[in-house]
Structures are given as C-alpha cells and as structure tokens.
Amino acid sequence: MAVKHSLILLTVLVLALPGLIHSFQPTFSVDGTSITHRDITQRAVLRKTAEVCRDIAAAEGRDFSLNINARLSVNTVQRACSVTPTSNSPLSSDMFQNAMNRMFDSNAKVDFSLPLAGEYHFDNEAFQAGREIITRGMSAVKANVKAGSFIAARESLGQISHILQDFYSHSNWVELGKSIPYSALIRADQPLENLAGPDTPTCKSCAGQTCSDNILPEVLQKGLLTSGYFDIFSSDKPAGKCSHGGLFDLTSKTNPVGGINKDAVESGHGSYHQAAVDLAVDATSELLEDIRVAVGDKNFLRLLGFTQSSALCFVIDTTGSMGDDIESVKSLTAKIIDERRGTPLEPSEYILVPFNDPDFGPVTKTTDADLFKNMINSLIPHGGGDIPEMSMSGLQLALTSAPASSDIHLFTDAPAKDSELKSAVTALIETTKSTVTFWITNVFSSRRRRSSDSQASVSRISLSDTQLYRDLAQASGGQAIEVSKLEISSATIFIEDSSARAVVTVFQVAMNPGKPENFHFVVDASLSNMFIYITGDSSLTFNLTSSTGVSQISSESSGPLASATRVGNLWRISLNTENQTGSWKISVNANTPYTVKITGQSSVNFVYNLVDSEEGAHGGVSPKNGRPITDGNVTLLVTVTGSDTGTVTEVTLFDSSVPTEVNGTIQSLGNGNFLVRFNKVPGGSYVVRLRGEDPSSLSRSTPTSFQRQASTQIKTSRLSVSARSASIRLEPGSENSISFTVSSEVPGTFSVQTNNDRSFPSMSPSSLSIAAGDGGQANGTIILTVPAGTASGTDVSLTIDVKNADGTDINYAVLRFSVAAKETDLSAPVCQVVNVSGICPALTLLCASVQWEFIANFTDGINGTGIATITLRQGNGTLNTSTVVGEGGENVTVITYSSSCCSQTVQVAAVDRVGNVGMCTEQARALTTPAPTTPVTSPGPTTPVTTPNVTTGGNNTTSTGGHRLSTSQFLWLTAVIYLLWK
Ligand SMILES: *[C@@H]1O[C@H](CO)[C@@H](O)[C@H](O)[C@H]1NC(C)=O
Ligand SMILES: *[C@@H]1O[C@H](CO)[C@@H](O)[C@H](O)[C@H]1NC(C)=O
Ligand SMILES: *[C@@H]1O[C@H](CO)[C@@H](O)[C@H](O)[C@H]1NC(C)=O
C-alpha cells in the first residue's frame, strides 16, 4: 500500500526533517550569531569582486580607495568598483544582488534537495566523491562562462560552493590546526593525502553534553583527515568513526557517541565554528580566484552580475512588410552604440533574435558592438504575406538567453502563430523577471478595414490579435506600443530612456476596463530623469499635479511640470521634479483600457524572490519555483539595494483588476534583507509595491520615504508543479529523466506541456489525471535527450506547464541545466623552472638599475587540451612566450620574464583549453637575506593568490564511475522539508 507506506515514511520524516539541514545554516541565522552559507558566499564574492576591481583600477591607473576587509557591503563594493561620471550619479546594484541571490539559492538548494547525499556535504569521509563533484562543477562553470551561459554558471557555482564550504564544518581540517584552505579540493590533479583509512578509528565517545576533544589523539598527531558520518534512518557507521552529531543524526547515538560538526555555535564542535567559517570564506575565494584566472577579469565580473548597464535585446519579425521597423531598429542601435561605446552606459551585451515563419532564431548574443551592428544591418525583410509569425518562439529564446531582469523589445506587425507557447513564455517571464515591450505597427481596428495600397502600409494585425501581446506586456511590466510604420522611428526614444543607468519603476498600473482614476506616487530625493508613460487610445487625457500643488494637463505639451509627447498609443511625459519631492498625483480620464508606468533613475531599489518559509522560523527560507497557491500564504524575501541603511515600511500585493491589495507583515533579517509574509492571498495577478525609508538620502527639505514597484506580476494557482532531476549538469548524448509531480486539491485531468529553448528532443505525458483518493497528486516523467555533440557550456531551460481542463488555471516549473561533457583533461598546465638569473641588490634605492630574469616551461602534457592563455598575475616586468616541442612530442610554452629589481616576485598563470589553471611563482635572488624590502613599485596587478605552485608530475586522481548523484528516494522530500524544518 503505497499510501500507507508514505504515511509511515512521512511520520518518520516529520520527526527527522529538522535534522536534515546539517550544514552551516543555508540562508539566515536561526540563532542570530552563527554564520550561514549565504553569509560565507557573500563575504567571498564581495572580497573577490573588490580585489578584481582593485587590480583593474591599478592596471588602468585609477585610484581604488576601498579597504578590503570582512565588513564589505554590496553597496560599498558597487560604489568603489564603478567608474561613475559624477560622484552622485545613480548606480544600480540590482543585477549584482540578483546574481548573488541566484548563487545563494542554488547553494541552499543542496540542503533542501540533497540533504542525505554524503558527497554533497563531505559527510561519511566521501572526500574523493565530493572533490569530483566540485572539480567537474568548476569545469562546467568555466564552459558556461565561455558560452555566455551565466545563469547556468551561477547555479553550478552556488552548488559547488556549498560542498566546498561544508568541508570546513564537517571534516576535522580545523581540528588539525590548519589555517589555510585545502586546495586539493578544487584541483582534480592533486592527490588527496593523509585520508584516514576505512578501518582507521577516528573518534572516541563524548562524555557529557559538551565535547570538543572526541577526535582520537593519534588521528590528530598523524594529521589524518576524516569527516563525520550522518544518517537519520540508521545508526550504522564503520567502527570507531566520528559522527556528524546533532539531535537527528542517529549515527552519533552509537559508539563513539557525539559529533564533530561546526555548523553553528551550539554544535558539537561549535567552538570551532568561527574558524570553520573563516576557512570556508577563504576556500570559496580561492575557488572564485581559480575561475577568475580561467575566464579573465571581464567575464568574471559578468559572471557575478557586476555590471552597470543592461543588455540591449531585440526580437524582430523579419517578414517583408517589416522594412520600416527594421530600419528604425538599425538607426536606434547605431545611435546607442555610437553614443555609449566605451562609457559605463555601453550595453553589457547585445542580443538579437529574428523570427519569421516557419523560422526563428538563431540567437546572436555578443559583447561585440560591431558584430551586433553587422547582424542588425544584415537583417533583410523577406517573404511574408501569410500571417501569422513565430513571435512566441523568438521571444522564448530571448527570455532564456538574456540576463535576468532584462528589457526585451519585440517588433512585429503580425499576430503570433505559436500562441500555444503563451504559458511557457509567461512562465519564463515570471522566473526571469524580464520586461517585454511589444512594438506593434499598423494595427487596424475592426472598424477600419485593412488598406491595400502599398506593401508597406498593409495592415496584417487587428486590435483583437494584439491581446496576446498586451497580456504578456502586462505580465512582465512592459507595454504594448502601437504605432504606424511612419511613426516608429520617433517612438523608439523610449528604448533609450529605459536602457539608461539605474532605471527603477516607481509606480505602474494597467486599467482594464479603463475608467477615470487618480494615482498618487512619491517622488523621493534620489530620483532623477523621471518619465511617465501612458498607453491608451486617443481619447485619453490626464492632469498631473506636483507635491507643491502645481498642475499641468495633457493638452499642454510643455508646462511647468513636464514636457509631453504622444506617438501612436504612447504618451511619453518627461517630468521636471526639481525641488518638488513628495506626493504627486496623476488623474487619468479614459473609459477604454490604459496603462500608466512611472520610472526614474535612482540607486535605491529592491529585488525580491518568492520563497517558502515556515511561520516563526527565522532562517527557514528556501527558494520557490512556480506560482504560489491561491488562498495560501505568500512569502517574499526582499532586499533593499543601493542603500546600506534603507528599510522597508510597507509591502503590498496589488491586483488592479479587482482591485485588491494584500498587506504583508515585515520581518527584518539584517543587511537590508526582509522577509515579507502575506496571509491567504486570493486568486489574482499581483504586483509587488514597496515603501521604505532611506535615511542616507541626504536632502535638505525632503522626506526620506521612497516608493518602488516590481515589474513582474505574481499570479496564484490552485495547482502546483514540482520537478526534480538528479543533476543540474547533463552530458552530451545522454537521456535524462526528470520526474515531476502535479498537485491539485480538485481532481481532474490536467494538460501538460513541456518545452525547451534548445529544441532538444523530449518526451512527456501530454496530460495527467488526479482521481479522488490519489492524495491530490500525480507523477510524470520527462525524458530529455541532449544530442551528442552539444557543446559543453550550452544551457537549456526546460519549462513544464500544467493547465486545468478549461485552461483557467496554470502553474509551471522551470528547470535550467547546463550541458557538460565529462572532461578528460583534468590536469592543469605544469610549470618547470628553467633558470633564474640576476641578483638583486639589498638596497631598494638601487633596484631600478638592476634587472633579473626568469625562464620556465609550461606544458599541458601530451594528453592535455593545450595551453590557451598565459597571463602575468603578479610582477611589473616584461613577459615573452614562445612555443617549442618537448621531448615527448608535447607542446611546451617557454616563458621568459625580465624585470627590474624593484619588482621581485613574478607569478604567471597558464590556462588550458578547458580552463584548468596552472601557476608559476618565483622570487628574484637577493644579495642578502632576509628577504628584500618591500618593492617600491607602482601598484601592478597584484593578486594574493593562494593557489600553490604547480609541482611537476601532477598526480592524476580521477576516480572512476559517475557521480552518485541521485538519492532519489529522498528527492520528493524537497517540497515538504521547508514546511517541517525549523
Ligand atoms: C488638475 O488638477 C488640479 C489639482 O487636482 C486642479 O486644481 C485643476 O483644476 C485640474 N485641471 C483641470 C483642467 O481639470
Ligand atoms: C531649487 O532650489 C534651489 C535651492 O533652493 C534653487 O537654487 C533652485 O533655483 C530651485 N530650482 C527651481 C527649478 O526652482
Ligand atoms: C498562513 O499563515 C497563518 C498565520 O500567519 C498561519 O496560521 C497558517 O497556518 C498559514 N497557512 C499555511 C497554509 O501555511
């Protein structure tokens, strides 16, 4: 009896689940003093980012004043790293915060989805297996970055950081007195030495409650490495071995009793908690450094979302009638590129997806402005006549290719042929939080028949056909702009506004049906360059009133408050807010549907994620996929960005269609993070509205309160979909099964649609039935085949959307995978020093007049993929390289470095084609010992690299067999853990 069996299992789990979290706490500290995985990751990321910025500044001869210490905040790093035109110009840290959040989430997910897989936590002495996941993950991250798949890279990076961090809590590395990280854990070619053998006892029983000396003295004397055993179902462990410890670890109840984990201050070895945290931060930094060297500084900062500008992203219908539209995109692109090239406003990347019928794509995704210009210029409108076009397929590709929270612009004059993708596209909009603006040309209303004079003015789309586009615009916080072909070039200035730096949404509403309404909004002192955009038909009028009581109406195109223009259905109102902070009002008079969006530039904003959290549990949040349950509780994790002192005073979920507004209760978690809970949220489509206080906004006369709104709608559903896969990395040529569960309290048959953005072959049931008595659940399996030959680093997004019979209720799960071939080249390039010549004088005064030289050979071996790049990491001299063939037929790169004695250390990195990093470090010979005085050099790109020198004959420790990834019997628990864990 499956049900009965599950019930028994569930009972066991209810008791046991809290103990499943046996890591550093994943997100926020439950006890308020322990340090979590999230804290550890953030510290390492901020430190490494600051170091990269410092080195870039030094290389460019700029000052860098930030003191790199443990108290860095996102804001201080963002400020110090940004090249700003003026000191008070707005800076956005939203993308940086979002990228970190992605890493925090996938880091935490290891605890929620793989709680009992020892190799993901360095439990059970699973050192080889844990190291293998880390190093394979590192290869995947490097391949992802190369392919521009940053989101997938962040996901892998978060996961392997978790494993690496757990090592310092779960092993006896700290107890062995180590003060630096164990570098072999991130190097597949180094031996793992001094592991306690399987039969070697490592612990003795603890006497009493507190116990910190239970590791056997001979283990410590011999420096043997061990880790704690952990199991919640069985007390079995090999004789004499240490346990993890804690209430639910059954192995710690049998001899030897007690545990050694350092997860929290109150853990068995909690007195070592801080030491474990410090090492975990250092180890994570070292991991990041390795990736940085492999991918280069620029890509590394992109990986961390560290960019000031957004992507420029166009999805363009290339049918014959689109000539005017394409011309206006060409000139707009040329203008943006020419004006912004080399400035901080230059788009972070360029994305283009053409579509037509039956073709769409391929996606062009590049940081090369000239390449992009060429791609746009080579778009030739062709074919057509037979409406409709593949606009949804094109948009789907853009949504999965663009960075999260991008502004995507879609140009078309035809309805969508592939409208069945609407729910998949909506799912992607909701998960990526990207905004989609539709540019629809030559719409005819039903009264005005399509004209048929010249080809260019033929209308191919009716007002009713645009509903899909308007729905998607609204779901994403974008707009559906309808203009004539003649007007489009004057309307696209909107795209320049929205791609400016640090654009935030202050207020937004969609009124359907339209009726006259007054809207109030707060202009705070941090806002500049404010715009109001209104879409609506030609009968719409408005009246704007400022905080000081000045007003201006829509018939005044230029007045005291604004200059307003109207093109097609779009009003663009540029506000003059000087000396008029406070509450403004706009009264809109219209009886047809309309939208209002108010934006400005400001550093202060917020980012949020839907999470699952248990009432009262301080740290118990886990990332949530898909839509929240209708009439259930909704929890948001909100982070105020751009202010170290900003607080949240009010958060509401607002649905304009009813209208209804649900108030959240706010709990501060520290460092600008807030947990906001909404009880019993009725069915609807909501936007998140936030009010806060920013005491740091120094302004003479103004209140410090601010108002912001999130663009993406949150919809509720009575269905839920959860999906799980054994791994987030898939091999080329593999068939992967992904199981998913649909839950619904109402029985019925539910249609299932699965979709992936790479058009990989997949098989899935087209529907699932839940009968009364099925416990409200049904399971399905999707087989996703990754074609052989798919390049490593490719990412693939799989969307599973499920609808009820009448299509009124939809929920979905989106999974992102990266394709990673099993690398055969796991060895880093090896350095062999050939010669060091020249002797440096003892007196610093004389350093400039004496040269020293260093010669070494780097090789990736006969079986390696070969050296791709050689870079000087440290040293101010000149580096030359040449290639020769070695004795065994392998390619050898000879590096010759010469420098004045004012710079006496050299470090050179060699990166092979799959991203393995080898280092060579050398010191000049000095005339006297002790060592030379501090070199008086201008600051060069100096990096405190902790990666050890490469030794010759790197030991290849590749173990056989794949990852033991699947603890499938526990995977289904993911969904319930958060409910039960505290
Ligand atoms: C616009 O609004 C202001 C303030 O609410 C009001 O005083 C003014 O009369 C309005 N103007 C028009 C033309 O309705
Ligand atoms: C705003 O206030 C400042 C200082 O009081 C003043 O110098 C400036 O002229 C004012 N600007 C406007 C548009 O009134
Ligand atoms: C929602 O929250 C309320 C109070 O905060 C709590 O009593 C209730 O059990 C929660 N409901 C669910 C389904 O978690």
Side-chain angles (χ1 to χ4, degrees), residues 673-684:
N673 298 303
F674 299 84
L675 206 57
V676 185
R677 291 191 178 86
F678 303 87
N679 283 340
K680 278 188 83 66
V681 177

Side-chain angles (χ1 to χ4, degrees), residues 543 545 551 553 585:
N543 179 4
T545 309
S551 70
I553 55 172
K585 181 177 84 174

Side-chain angles (χ1 to χ4, degrees), residues 75 108 166 210 224 327 383 391 446 450 508 597 633 690 741 755 834 846 848 878 914 946:
N75 268 306
D166 270 356
T210 55
L224 297 182
E327 281 311 312
S391 52
S446 45
R450 62 174 74 188
Q508 185 164 15
K597 178 171 185 164
N633 296 344
L690 178 141
T741 303
N755 226 288
V834 175
L846 304 175
T878 319
V914 292
T946 40

Side-chain angles (χ1 to χ4, degrees), residues 683-700:
S685 299
Y686 297 90
V687 288
V688 182
R689 290 186 170 168
L690 178 141
R691 282 173 186 267
E693 300 280 335
D694 179 19
S696 70
S697 77
L698 301 166
S699 173
R700 311 160 295 278

Side-chain angles (χ1 to χ4, degrees), residues 173-236:
W173 187 256
V174 173
E175 289 85 341
L176 289 174
K178 307 283 187 182
S179 58
I180 58 167
Y182 190 21
S183 298
L185 295 179
I186 60 167
R187 291 291 304 267
D189 57 1
Q190 287 182 12
L192 292 174
E193 283 167 336
N194 272 4
L195 305 185
D199 304 321
T200 309
T202 53
C203 266
K204 60 180 189 230
S205 281
C206 288
Q209 281 297 333
T210 55
C211 164
S212 59
D213 60 350
N214 49 339
I215 297 177
L216 294 176
E218 53 268 36
V219 169
L220 298 175
Q221 276 152 22
K222 290 184 193 152
L224 297 182
L225 189 62
T226 186
S227 72
Y229 280 72
F230 179 80
D231 204 321
I232 60 166
F233 295 117
S234 157
S235 56
D236 288 352

Side-chain angles (χ1 to χ4, degrees), residues 42 84 90 99 232 255 320 427 460 470 549 568 585 651 741 772 836 863 927:
Q42 174 155 329
T84 56
I232 60 166
N255 268 340
R460 309 200 308 142
R470 273 180 278 145
K585 181 177 84 174
V651 184
T741 303
V836 183
N863 294 322
L927 198 54

